[in-house]
Amino acid sequence: MNSKNIILPLARRSFTPLSRSLRIVARWQSQYAPARRRCLVGKPRSIDIAGQKRALSTTPRRRFADVEESLDPRLQYRESDEVDVCIVGGGPAGLSAAIRLKQLANEAGKEDFRVLLLEKAGQIGDHILSGNVIEPSAIDELLPDWLSEDNPSRFEHVTAATGDKMRFLTKNGSIPIPAPPQMNNHGNYIISLNQFCKWLGERAEEVGVEVYPGFAASEVLYKPLDGS
């Protein structure tokens, strides 16, 4: 008897007439749908993608700092350091000059003589990508053992120039012409400037040059009165 009293109300509640269900849905849409739409506009929705719940939201508006016309970057505090020589640019000329200056200082017993080199590239040689045919007289004076087999830090990426040819290019071919004597590369070497500058940077640090890649110099700061 008790089971019938429980089952009958459940059956009546399950088999609700369709017209009554439609009235309930229509009443709910008219009362709560506008509020629900307002909530969806202000609150990010979420969807399920491959079992992952991800929120859908819009990118926030960018906010920029206020520009102060009175702000002068030159008047702001900056870190400073005092050196004896500062060389800007880590190319072959700058590195060779830094090495020679530090060699002279070490030979004179002035190990505390500071030579600093700045290079805007992230690493020495990154901004020099070309090939080159080098005439070795200057590098022979600077680093006499740069190609010596007994030197463990010798420059290995080098190829001797064995011949010269010049040709006049036409639309469909080329015509051989005699090479001027000034363009004779006998005794020269074919190198990559990228590899050569990296090697020079390592030799510069060995003699005590302070090499700082990743620093770009914009201008020279000096006192107008005495030029210091």
Side-chain angles (χ1 to χ4, degrees):
M1 193 70 181
N2 294 333
S3 60
K4 292 182 179 180
N5 296 334
I6 296 175
I7 294 174
L8 289 176
L10 291 177
R12 295 193 191 97
R13 187 174 302 175
S14 300
F15 295 99
T16 305
L18 180 60
S19 59
R20 182 182 178 186
S21 300
L22 293 177
R23 288 197 299 271
I24 294 174
V25 172
R27 188 182 302 112
W28 179 86
Q29 289 182 348
S30 61
Q31 294 180 359
Y32 300 104
R36 184 172 178 269
R37 284 195 294 269
R38 288 195 297 270
C39 293
L40 290 178
V41 171
K43 183 179 179 181
R45 295 178 295 173
S46 61
I47 58 175
D48 292 334
I49 300 177
Q52 299 179 359
K53 194 170 185 180
R54 299 176 57 185
L56 296 178
S57 60
T58 58
T59 304
R61 180 182 297 179
R62 293 183 179 181
R63 296 182 179 180
F64 299 96
D66 296 334
V67 179
E68 298 182 8
E69 297 180 357
S70 61
L71 179 63
D72 189 351
R74 295 174 296 179
L75 302 179
Q76 302 301 312
Y77 174 77
R78 299 183 182 183
E79 295 291 337
S80 61
D81 194 7
E82 294 185 2
V83 297
D84 296 288
V85 177
C86 178
I87 298 175
V88 179
L95 288 167
S96 300
I99 291 173
R100 187 54 183 161
L101 286 172
K102 195 59 181 175
Q103 286 177 344
L104 294 174
N106 294 340
E107 293 172 0
K110 299 180 180 179
E111 287 78 8
D112 56 346
F113 185 84
R114 296 187 62 188
V115 179
L116 185 141
L117 184 139
L118 301 178
E119 167 59 36
K120 64 182 178 181
Q123 293 182 357
I124 297 295
D126 282 358
H127 285 182
I128 302 180
L129 304 176
S130 65
N132 181 260
V133 178
I134 183 174
E135 198 280 318
S137 59
I139 190 66
D140 286 340
E141 295 180 9
L142 183 67
L143 300 169
D145 59 346
W146 72 291
L147 289 179
S148 176
E149 295 291 339
D150 299 331
N151 181 13
S153 59
R154 66 183 181 276
F155 184 62
E156 299 179 350
H157 309 283
V158 59
T159 302
T162 57
D164 297 291
K165 292 183 179 179
M166 290 194 66
R167 307 184 74 89
F168 179 78
L169 301 180
T170 63
K171 183 178 180 180
N172 299 321
S174 61
I175 302 173
I177 59 176
Q182 297 84 358
M183 301 183 66
N184 181 19
N185 289 304
H186 178 73
N188 298 340
Y189 296 93
I190 303 171
I191 64 170
S192 165
L193 285 180
N194 174 271
Q195 296 172 340
F196 187 65
C197 287
K198 289 182 178 180
W199 178 80
L200 280 178
E202 296 174 356
R203 305 291 80 77
E205 291 181 336
E206 287 181 356
V207 297
V209 178
E210 302 176 39
V211 180
Y212 289 94
F215 288 88
S218 59
E219 60 178 325
V220 178
L221 302 180
Y222 61 92
K223 297 180 181 179
L225 298 179
D226 56 1
S228 60

